Each structure stands twice: as structure tokens, then as C-alpha cells.
Amino acid sequence: MACCFPVILDRSMRRSFKLAKSSSSDKLNKSKSSICSPTSLSMKKKDVQENNSLVVCFGELLIDFVPTVSGVSLAEAPGFKKAPGGAPANVAVGIARLGGSSAFIGKVGADEFGYMLADILKQNHVDNSGMRFDTHARTALAFVTLRADGEREFMFFRNPSADMLLTEAELDKDLIQKARIFHYGSISLIEEPCRSAHLAAMEIAKKAGCILSYDPNLRLPLWPSAEAARKGILSIWDQADIIKANAYDDNVVMTKLFHPNVKLLLVTEGGDGCRYYTKDFHGRVNGIKVTPVDTTGAGDAFVGGLLNSMALDPDIYMDEKKLRDALHFANGCGAITVTEKGAIPALPTKEAVLKILDGATAN
């Protein structure tokens, strides 16, 4: 059975963790106690309690290896640039970089990549107190090829990876209950025990009155089959308040994707912008034209931009003018992100988004 415990590891803590692994059980328990002390959290409990606009993101956190040149296969790539990634973590960092409040819940390996990812979240002002570390499984890796048009192809290394092994018992329930919005994807639904942890986290969030935000973020190579992916993704479809989907026509959206409980359904269309659907109105918001370098993380930046607005004004979906403004801002977040390689490194600040939107308006 894997040994897992909540830690927030900066370099000094990392040294104590490594010493504890080789010490007696007495010293290990002492080390774990000090690592888990409330003062070691990147965001203290008091701060979280006083925050009423927290977005908690649940799911995978991994390393993307991106070729240093575009338009080549993995075999042809002369080298790779490592970049932190994982859709829910990207959203958490995107919100924090915009000045919002976010936290991440998920599991990585007790390895150098896992420690690095925990540090990156902390450096980006994301509460990482919900992270868990697994000593028996590695942090997930993904090699991402960039075609000449900036679109991606994936090769994953997770057999299993630590993110797949998060259990319900390891969930930070208090953190979930403090959230205004609970955001998640579908990759955490693929394998047990993470699937059960995902469902339990949703239930905790729902009972706490959180807004449930769902971005399916389809990665077919990770599922046993296309049919398994369809069933898995749709199994929680009718529980979400907000859903982001990829391009479908209006007929498909209204007959198959829109459900009675959804408050806001979004269909993103890359550089063309997005469409929005509520019970009372629907429409389209044009995108911001840029030259794409790498589309990795663009959808996550869009989601982060929208959720940051909704965390401050949860009823924004009821006012079409406010919603369109929020989606225009979210489109700007996505546009900036595609102009650099990697996901988290390319996520924009609020000032950068406002600048690109002013330029787009002027043109």
C-alpha cells in the first residue's frame, strides 16, 4: 500500500522529508507531524476561512515535455522543454495569476518532479495544502508534439501515475467546503481509486453549496476506448452548474449537451471565440486574433479567466451584458496563452489581458 501524506515542500522541507524516509519510525512520525503543521501551509487556515471567493481545482498535475521546435514528431524532436501542466492545476494557477484566490487538490509522486510542481504552485500563490505525495508511484509525464499549426498530439507516461491513486480518505474536505467554486475535469474519472475520490469530492462540494464547474478535457489515449470515455464523461454531466465543451453546433448543444440543472454551458472555438447558453439566452463572443505558437493550456486559461470573474460575482450568468464582458476577458486569457510554449508559464496576468483587449478594441 502506498504511503501518502499531505505536505507542502519547499527546499528545506524536502531535505527533512528525505531524511525522515531513512530514519526510525519514531523520527518519521515526528517529521510528518512538523511537515503537516498549519504554519507550513502556503495559505493559512485563517486566510482561507476569511476568503469567500476561493476556487478549488481538483485533478491531475504533471510535467509536459514540449519539443523545442514546432512541426516535428516526438522522434524527430532535437530536444524538449519541461513545463508544468495538468488542466485543473493550470486553471488554479491561471486564477491566481489574475489576482484571484485558488487551491489545488491532487496527488503527485514523492519525487523531484512532484516536489517541483508543489513549489511551482506555491510560487504562483496557489494553496497547495490539498496536495498528496505518493512514495510508490511517479509523477505523471506527458510528451506533447507541436504541429506546424500549433495543435498538439500527446504521449502519456502513467502506468499508474500518482494522480490516479488519490483516495477519498486523502481528500482535504475542509478546503473543499470553503470553496465558492469547485472545478474539475474528466481524467480523474478514468481509474480507481481516483474516480471514487472525485465523486466524493463533488458530493462534499455540492453539500457545501459550491458552484460545480466541469471541463471534460477529452484525452482519448488515456481511456480504454472511445465508448468508455463517452460513458465516463457523461456519467457526471448532469451534476455540473457550469460546463465547458469543445465545438458543437447549436442543435447538438441544445438537444444533447444542455441539461435542466446547468446554469451556463460554454462551447469554445479556439481563435474564433466562444458560444454561451443559459436557460434564458444564448449568443457568441468573438475571439482575439493572435499568431499561435502552442495551444497547450489555452482552454484552461479561458476557464481560469471566467471562473475568476464568477468567484467575485456568482450570478454573472444571469446578466447577459456582464457575462459577455467576462467571456471577452476569458477569450483574452486564452489568446495570450497560445503565444508562448507550455501551459503554466504562458498564463497571463490581469494587466496583460487588459492590454491585449484594449489593442483588439482599438483595431
Side-chain angles (χ1 to χ4, degrees):
M1 183 175 179
C3 172
C4 312
F5 40 90
V7 297
I8 294 77
L9 290 153
D10 58 21
R11 296 187 184 279
S12 60
M13 291 177 185
R14 196 176 305 165
R15 287 194 294 271
S16 66
F17 171 77
K18 289 178 179 176
L19 288 171
K21 287 198 294 185
S22 59
S23 63
S24 68
S25 58
D26 221 8
K27 290 180 180 177
L28 177 59
N29 289 334
K30 184 178 180 181
S31 174
K32 285 167 64 176
S33 176
S34 66
I35 288 172
C36 296
S37 65
T39 55
S40 70
L41 302 183
S42 60
M43 180 183 290
K44 295 180 181 179
K45 292 292 183 184
K46 182 181 178 182
D47 296 331
V48 178
Q49 289 171 342
E50 292 175 352
N51 176 9
N52 62 357
S53 60
L54 177 66
V55 180
V56 172
C57 301
F58 173 93
E60 68 278 6
L61 175 57
L62 53 99
I63 303 289
D64 287 329
F65 285 89
V66 184
T68 52
V69 297
S70 300
V72 297
S73 68
L74 289 175
E76 295 168 335
F80 295 88
K81 173 186 176 183
K82 74 176 185 294
N90 293 343
V91 172
V93 174
I95 291 167
R97 200 162 287 172
L98 292 169
S101 177
S102 64
F104 175 77
I105 292 178
K107 184 184 274 190
V108 293
D111 51 43
E112 286 302 309
F113 283 146
Y115 305 145
M116 183 191 82
L117 291 170
D119 286 345
I120 286 171
L121 290 187
K122 186 175 180 180
Q123 291 161 14
N124 282 279
H125 308 293
V126 174
D127 180 352
N128 62 4
S129 61
M131 285 185 69
R132 303 294 179 259
F133 290 71
D134 197 312
T135 58
H136 292 180
R138 295 295 189 187
T139 300
L141 306 179
F143 286 80
V144 187
T145 62
L146 306 178
R147 300 201 307 252
D149 60 1
E151 285 301 321
R152 301 157 293 161
E153 295 173 352
F154 294 88
M155 180 183 291
F156 294 94
F157 288 77
R158 53 197 307 266
N159 215 14
S161 53
D163 61 290
M164 301 162 66
L165 302 177
L166 183 71
T167 66
E168 180 179 348
E170 293 170 319
L171 292 174
D172 189 333
K173 297 179 181 179
D174 290 341
L175 184 59
I176 296 172
Q177 290 168 340
K178 293 182 178 83
R180 172 164 280 181
I181 299 174
F182 182 69
H183 175 73
Y184 48 89
S186 67
I187 290 175
S188 45
L189 296 170
I190 298 174
E191 298 279 355
E192 292 290 357
C194 190
R195 175 180 168 80
S196 291
H198 182 142
L199 298 178
M202 285 177 58
E203 185 64 22
I204 294 166
K206 190 162 188 163
K207 286 181 178 177
C210 301
I211 297 169
L212 299 186
S213 167
Y214 184 24
D215 180 2
N217 198 33
L218 178 64
R219 295 287 180 263
L220 269 179
L222 297 180
W223 291 86
S225 66
E227 181 59 17
R230 188 188 71 82
K231 287 183 178 180
I233 288 170
L234 293 179
S235 67
I236 60 170
W237 194 268
D238 62 356
Q239 298 180 53
D241 299 299
I242 306 165
I243 298 174
K244 182 186 85 68
N246 291 328
Y248 294 97
D249 63 37
D250 284 348
N251 182 56
V252 171
V253 170
M254 298 310 297
T255 59
K256 296 185 178 180
L257 302 183
F258 200 88
H259 64 77
N261 298 325
V262 73
K263 293 180 171 67
L264 174 63
L265 191 149
L266 299 162
V267 177
T268 53
E269 300 177 319
D272 292 329
C274 66
R275 285 175 284 142
Y276 58 89
Y277 303 82
T278 73
K279 294 175 183 176
D280 300 317
F281 50 77
H282 66 273
R284 176 192 296 274
V285 177
N286 292 331
I288 311 299
K289 298 300 182 184
V290 294
T291 301
V293 172
D294 176 12
T295 58
T296 305
D300 304 328
F302 172 89
V303 172
L306 176 65
L307 295 187
N308 186 55
S309 298
M310 290 198 74
L312 299 172
D313 185 0
D315 295 328
I316 203 168
Y317 68 93
M318 300 174 67
D319 183 319
E320 190 167 12
K321 172 63 168 62
K322 286 184 178 180
L323 177 60
R324 290 184 63 87
D325 288 344
L327 292 175
H328 184 53
F329 182 86
N331 283 342
C333 293
I336 290 177
T337 303
V338 306
T339 62
E340 295 183 36
K341 290 183 179 179
I344 286 177
L347 294 168
T349 63
K350 182 177 180 180
E351 291 73 23
V353 178
L354 294 177
K355 183 176 180 181
I356 196 173
L357 293 182
D358 284 345
T361 304
N363 292 334

